[in-house]
Amino acid sequence: MIRNGCKILITLVTMLCCTPASKACSLALHDWRLYLHLKIPVSAPLLPLAELDAVFDKIPRNSIEKVIWVADHNQLSSFSLLFMHFLPNWEAHLPWHATARNASIIELARENRAVTKAPLIIGTDQNQLQIALFVDRNSDNRCFQLVFMQTSRIRAVHPDSIKPWAQESRGQSWLSLTFYQLPLPGRILAMAIFPIYQSRIALIDNHSFVEHLLADGLLATRPEQVFDPYSFDFPDLPE
């Protein structure tokens, strides 16, 4: 997986450096075109954001003391658990126990049914990492959006003796980086992550750079009827 990541990074840098120069890009009005799309099977999610989203508002607060995460774990997924305390979800601050995929979720639920505070059991499989690069035709292909999206099947069980709960869903999480010409400091227009509390959270919103480009007349102004002039959403990725 690490080797594939290096190849992808080299490919992206090469394409960005070879793109012909033209006008600058802003977040004023985008016309995104898919330039690159890769699908990579992965053993486990890099960070269980979709897993947290799947159980959001499903389990009463303080009703569980730990989470058992069943997946085909690798070094990256296990290491990512060290960063869980940076997330705002209260479930993320519980102890997360990475368990091998060969463990049966049903058997784990049966074993923990009689426990006073039964743990939350989350199973993740059918994991896929998608990498997409979009170019903005409204900026003469000088504005880019790089998207890393994880998809998976999520099965969650809370074997509570009084009020048991179970659910299966498709999970999705993504990180989006919008930049002008190259993803360098000062040229990054926006960075967003999804989901945090089932919402998209902007980590970077470089409004001053956007307004500077608009003031120079480098891009057309976004129509007034558009509610959010700083929307960084991207088109749907191919199936």
Side-chain angles (χ1 to χ4, degrees):
M1 180 177 176
I2 295 176
R3 184 182 303 172
N4 288 336
C6 293
K7 292 180 180 178
I8 293 166
L9 180 60
I10 293 172
T11 301
L12 290 174
V13 172
T14 301
M15 288 190 302
L16 292 174
C17 292
C18 294
T19 304
S22 57
K23 294 182 181 179
C25 163
S26 81
L27 299 175
L29 184 62
H30 290 304
D31 183 11
W32 294 119
R33 175 176 63 88
L34 185 62
Y35 189 62
L36 171 72
H37 182 226
L38 299 175
K39 289 184 177 181
I40 305 172
V42 293
S43 58
L46 303 182
L47 190 65
L49 292 178
E51 285 72 11
L52 288 169
D53 185 66
V55 301
F56 175 75
D57 205 26
K58 299 293 194 305
I59 308 297
R61 193 182 184 94
N62 299 324
S63 64
I64 57 176
E65 295 180 342
K66 68 176 180 179
V67 177
I68 300 176
W69 185 21
V70 181
D72 187 10
H73 290 286
N74 51 44
Q75 290 182 344
L76 290 177
S77 64
S78 299
F79 182 72
S80 70
L81 295 179
L82 298 176
F83 298 91
M84 294 290 283
H85 66 278
F86 290 108
L87 300 175
N89 311 61
W90 67 267
E91 299 94 341
H93 295 259
L94 297 172
W96 280 59
H97 299 274
T99 305
R101 189 178 63 178
N102 56 9
S104 169
I105 295 177
I106 296 177
E107 289 301 321
L108 287 172
R110 289 173 178 170
E111 293 172 3
N112 290 276
R113 186 166 49 187
V115 177
T116 303
K117 284 191 175 182
L120 176 61
I121 304 168
I122 300 177
T124 307
D125 59 8
Q126 301 177 12
N127 304 290
Q128 188 175 75
L129 174 64
Q130 297 188 63
I131 301 176
L133 180 66
F134 294 93
V135 296
D136 179 23
R137 284 180 286 199
N138 284 355
S139 64
D140 291 334
N141 300 328
R142 295 308 290 164
C143 186
F144 299 87
Q145 184 169 189
L146 182 60
V147 177
F148 297 90
M149 177 182 289
Q150 294 182 148
T151 57
S152 59
R153 181 180 68 165
I154 300 172
R155 293 176 292 171
V157 179
H158 183 216
D160 185 71
S161 58
I162 299 176
K163 193 176 180 180
W165 171 83
Q167 172 184 279
E168 179 175 320
S169 60
R170 297 298 303 180
Q172 181 186 101
S173 60
W174 51 260
L175 174 70
S176 168
L177 180 69
T178 305
F179 56 93
Y180 164 54
Q181 293 183 322
L182 290 171
L184 300 174
R187 295 188 180 186
I188 295 176
L189 303 177
M191 179 183 289
I193 192 171
F194 174 87
I196 300 293
Y197 286 141
Q198 299 187 328
S199 300
R200 164 193 170 279
I201 299 297
L203 303 178
I204 298 175
D205 274 349
N206 195 347
H207 291 179
S208 60
F209 188 34
V210 172
E211 292 165 356
H212 171 72
L213 295 174
L214 289 173
D216 287 346
L218 297 174
L219 289 174
T221 303
R222 182 182 292 271
E224 294 182 359
Q225 64 267 27
V226 177
F227 175 74
D228 181 10
Y230 297 111
S231 175
F232 309 123
D233 294 340
F234 49 88
D236 292 336
L237 299 184
E239 294 292 335

